[in-house]
Amino acid sequence: MTDADLPAFRAALLDWYAAHGRDLPWRRTRDPYPIWVSEVMLQQTTVAAVVPYWERFLEAFPTVEALAAAPESAVLRLWEGLGYYSRARNLHAAAKAVVERGEWPRSVEGLRDLPGVGRYTAGAVASFAFGLPAPIVEANTLRLYARLLAYRGDPRSSAGQAALWDFAERILPPSPSESGESGSGVDPGLVNQAVMELGGTVCTVKEPRCGECPVSDWCGAFTTGLQSEIPLPKARPKITEVTEATVAVRRADGAVLVRQRDADERWAGLWDFPRFEPPSELTTNVPTLDARQPALPLGDGDTPLLAWLSTAVQEQTGVRCEVGAGLLEIRHGVTRYRIRLLCYGGTRLGGRLRSGATMRWIQPAALTDLPLSKTGRQFATRLADLSWEGDSP
DNA sequence: AATTCGGGGAA
DNA sequence: TTCCCAGAATT
């Protein structure tokens, strides 16, 4: 596509977007705060997954000041289930920075200084909220631009990224200052929304609907029949299988022991039951859930693991306990992991909580207020349902 | 340049 | 199941 084609390209794109663009809630505002929240939530996350989170989040924290003033655990609780929790921690830190600063950075460079804001997110907020001519490249536009350019190399390589970002900048409407005239009158943010929408709904990964594409005349892949060859697919990560074990230690009053995960751990800031990755020889003989339905009776296969867990709990928390109830087995696939999580109940025998770590005895019903991981929430829900009354579990 | 991040949805 | 997702930060 030559520069001479760009006005017609933009016109066809924007006409199509006006007719077919989705009415997404964050497209109804130019306030940088809700736009920024949406962009961070949408990092590596589908629109369908984000919408309900975005609505709840904005209801809880309507302004950047409200977010900055909130406890981090409240932010993480609202993020629970979205994954990639460093996004929530960075969002919170960035809100504090904006409030401290007194105003939003109004440039790509300024926005990029905020934690959790990279090249894409900075360009998105700059163009959507402030109408700046800032380019964007993300999953949808990577695919669209690679096809428009008929880019045969790896679009994720540095050479590929350079080509795509260059194209992303080239298609933006000239600003008044650049053209030295009155400008095109076209909003760069609208062009960016339109290319993402086109990439997301027409220029799809599989079976792109080129017949419905408003810019197929300018598409190098379409005109050469290479739609299904471009872009090169992302390399698939190898799957790692892990077996973990976790213990809900119960005190006499029914409270269970939880700890807040440290800043240098995965799930930093979230709460969790004492959780371990035991030596594999202790878990390989533990019967599977299917092998001992309907209940989870303990057998000889569990015994060495239970003893190991008892020691591990004491080392981690200071609490002495007897581990003695099979409560739940969770199979959880996430990112590149396939996890088998063995969940046991234990009874406190004595000992004091180790100082230095953040730990708490809490009634199972009250766990609803703490941010937990996906599997932690499943276990917590089971504990609350069990009522788990009576003597030693 | 490669890896981590430990979630969900659609097909 | 598999593949992908409005990426960023770290190593």
Side-chain angles (χ1 to χ4, degrees), chain A residues 263-324:
Chain A
D264 60 349
E265 293 182 285
R266 132 176 118 236
W267 294 319
L270 275 68
W271 292 76
D272 199 13
F273 305 96
R275 180 189 295 242
F276 310 95
E277 190 170 339
S280 58
E281 59 266 27
L282 296 182
T283 59
T284 49
N285 291 328
V286 175
T288 65
L289 179 63
D290 291 340
R292 51 184 176 185
Q293 286 282 21
L296 283 173
L298 299 183
D300 293 344
D302 298 275
T303 305
L305 174 61
L306 300 184
W308 185 91
L309 285 172
S310 178
T311 302
V313 167
Q314 181 169 5
E315 286 178 357
Q316 184 178 81
T317 69
V319 172
R320 288 186 295 110
C321 71
E322 178 179 13
V323 182

Side-chain angles (χ1 to χ4, degrees), chain A residues 101-286:
Chain A
R101 198 171 173 280
E103 62 179 356
W104 282 90
R106 289 187 167 258
S107 67
V108 171
E109 298 73 26
L111 289 164
R112 282 199 68 169
D113 285 338
L114 297 172
V117 177
R119 190 173 182 183
Y120 162 74
T121 302
V125 173
S127 62
F128 303 155
F130 304 132
L132 296 171
I136 56 163
V137 176
E138 38 64 79
N140 297 306
T141 42
L142 178 146
R143 191 170 53 249
L144 175 67
Y145 297 165
R147 284 175 175 154
L148 288 171
L149 292 169
Y151 190 82
R152 306 280 234 116
D154 179 0
R156 298 166 188 84
S157 69
S158 35
Q161 285 289 297
L164 298 187
W165 280 97
D166 180 69
F167 182 73
E169 183 149 24
R170 215 155 64 81
I171 64 170
L172 291 175
S175 67
S177 56
E178 284 172 348
S179 62
E181 301 163 12
S182 59
S184 63
V186 177
D187 177 6
L190 204 57
V191 172
N192 281 342
Q193 287 285 3
V195 283
M196 276 199 293
E197 187 76 356
L198 188 60
T201 64
V202 172
C203 196
T204 48
V205 178
K206 293 179 205 169
E207 300 179 6
R209 303 178 351 221
C210 302
E212 303 174 25
C213 180
V215 297
S216 58
D217 285 353
W218 297 281
C219 181
F222 176 67
T223 55
T224 55
L226 291 173
Q227 305 95 299
S228 56
E229 321 298 325
I230 297 174
L232 292 176
K234 182 157 37 176
R236 196 150 61 93
K238 60 179 185 299
I239 300 300
T240 301
E241 308 250 3
V242 295
T243 299
E244 296 176 354
T246 187
V247 183
V249 180
R250 191 183 58 156
R251 203 168 59 175
D253 64 356
V256 296
L257 178 60
V258 291
R259 60 179 281 266
Q260 189 171 30
R261 299 189 62 110
D262 295 332
D264 60 349
E265 293 182 285
R266 132 176 118 236
W267 294 319
L270 275 68
W271 292 76
D272 199 13
F273 305 96
R275 180 189 295 242
F276 310 95
E277 190 170 339
S280 58
E281 59 266 27
L282 296 182
T283 59
T284 49
N285 291 328
V286 175

Side-chain angles (χ1 to χ4, degrees), chain A residues 1-69:
Chain A
M1 191 179 343
T2 67
D3 287 344
D5 295 321
L6 289 174
F9 170 86
R10 278 192 294 267
L13 175 72
L14 292 173
D15 283 350
W16 172 85
Y17 181 64
H20 298 100
R22 290 167 293 179
D23 180 25
L24 302 176
W26 45 84
R27 286 180 173 166
R28 295 177 161 220
T29 178
R30 300 206 69 150
D31 181 344
Y33 172 64
I35 290 171
W36 167 60
V37 172
S38 77
E39 292 304 335
V40 175
M41 286 186 170
L42 285 161
Q43 290 167 7
Q44 293 295 285
T45 309
T46 55
V47 168
V50 165
V51 170
Y53 279 87
W54 184 85
E55 289 172 346
R56 286 194 293 269
F57 198 92
L58 269 294
E59 186 170 354
F61 310 121
T63 64
V64 67
E65 289 81 10
L67 176 57

